[in-house]
Amino acid sequence: MNLSNIEFERHSNPVDMIEFVAAANDWTFERSGEHEIAMTVEGHWTDYHVSFSWMEDCEALHIASAFDIKVPDVRVTEVMRLLSHVNGQVLMGHFDLWQQESVIIFRQSLLLAGGAEPTNRQVEVLLSNALDSCEAYFQAFQFVVWSGMDAHSAMTAVMFETKGEA
């Protein structure tokens, strides 16, 4: 199999589409550079700090969503266990511990190789998936970091499904 080095010319910056979708949805955002845009999105449990970055070298649009839970050194090992449990459940993207800031982030990328342009629907799904994942597991991270719960118990607590209404 011969892989050729075909160069594709990109007609727009994929971050421009993020800005378009954010403006169309009246989301507050800050364009911190040509290849990055950041916004804060209100969730049910907390506000999420979302950043989209265009990674030109690998032609990928990257999303990172962080929430305000600082992980103290004494809880890092248990948080890492929880990350393993959670990432086994997440279909797209993954959670990570950003060691520099001691915060938990959700990360996912949309590959746009060959000059592909993102659609507004792809951007909305990328953001929606990130926020849904953060909302689904925020409490588990909270239980481990703030309540001292072990990873397995925290996962069991958040995966508990109720039926009907009281």
Side-chain angles (χ1 to χ4, degrees):
M1 185 166 149
N2 185 9
L3 298 175
S4 59
N5 293 331
I6 300 172
E7 293 291 323
F8 292 96
E9 183 177 330
R10 188 163 299 283
H11 297 288
S12 66
N13 183 338
V15 176
D16 294 340
M17 177 56 76
I18 308 297
E19 186 172 343
F20 172 78
V21 171
N25 286 289
D26 289 329
W27 298 335
T28 302
F29 62 90
E30 180 181 331
R31 185 84 181 248
S32 52
E34 181 182 354
H35 297 298
E36 189 168 324
I37 190 168
M39 60 189 76
T40 300
V41 180
E42 184 179 334
H44 182 74
W45 302 111
T46 190
D47 290 343
Y48 300 101
H49 309 288
V50 180
S51 172
F52 285 92
S53 302
W54 171 239
M55 299 164 58
E56 196 165 4
D57 56 334
C58 59
E59 295 184 274
L61 184 60
H62 179 262
I63 184 173
S65 178
F67 36 84
D68 289 328
I69 295 181
K70 291 279 188 183
V71 180
D73 290 341
V74 298
R75 298 305 296 160
V76 167
T77 301
E78 201 60 35
V79 166
M80 297 304 281
R81 285 187 185 107
L82 180 58
L83 286 170
S84 178
H85 287 292
V86 169
N87 285 333
Q89 300 292 315
V90 176
L91 179 61
M92 295 180 296
H94 70 279
F95 284 91
D96 201 355
L97 178 61
W98 186 18
Q99 298 270 344
Q100 294 168 316
E101 299 292 325
S102 297
V103 296
I104 299 156
I105 61 171
F106 177 84
R107 298 167 28 138
Q108 184 177 349
S109 295
L110 174 63
L111 183 62
L112 297 169
E117 301 290 336
T119 66
N120 60 350
R121 181 69 181 132
Q122 287 174 313
V123 169
E124 289 170 353
V125 168
L126 195 62
L127 179 59
S128 176
N129 180 62
L131 295 177
D132 288 349
S133 297
C134 288
E135 286 283 285
Y137 297 105
F138 175 79
Q139 286 187 305
F141 290 110
Q142 201 174 35
F143 290 154
V144 168
V145 173
W146 292 342
S147 299
M149 197 179 273
D150 66 273
H152 179 74
S153 297
M155 279 297 288
T156 301
V158 299
M159 298 307 287
F160 178 75
E161 292 185 36
T162 59
K163 301 222 185 235
E165 292 183 27

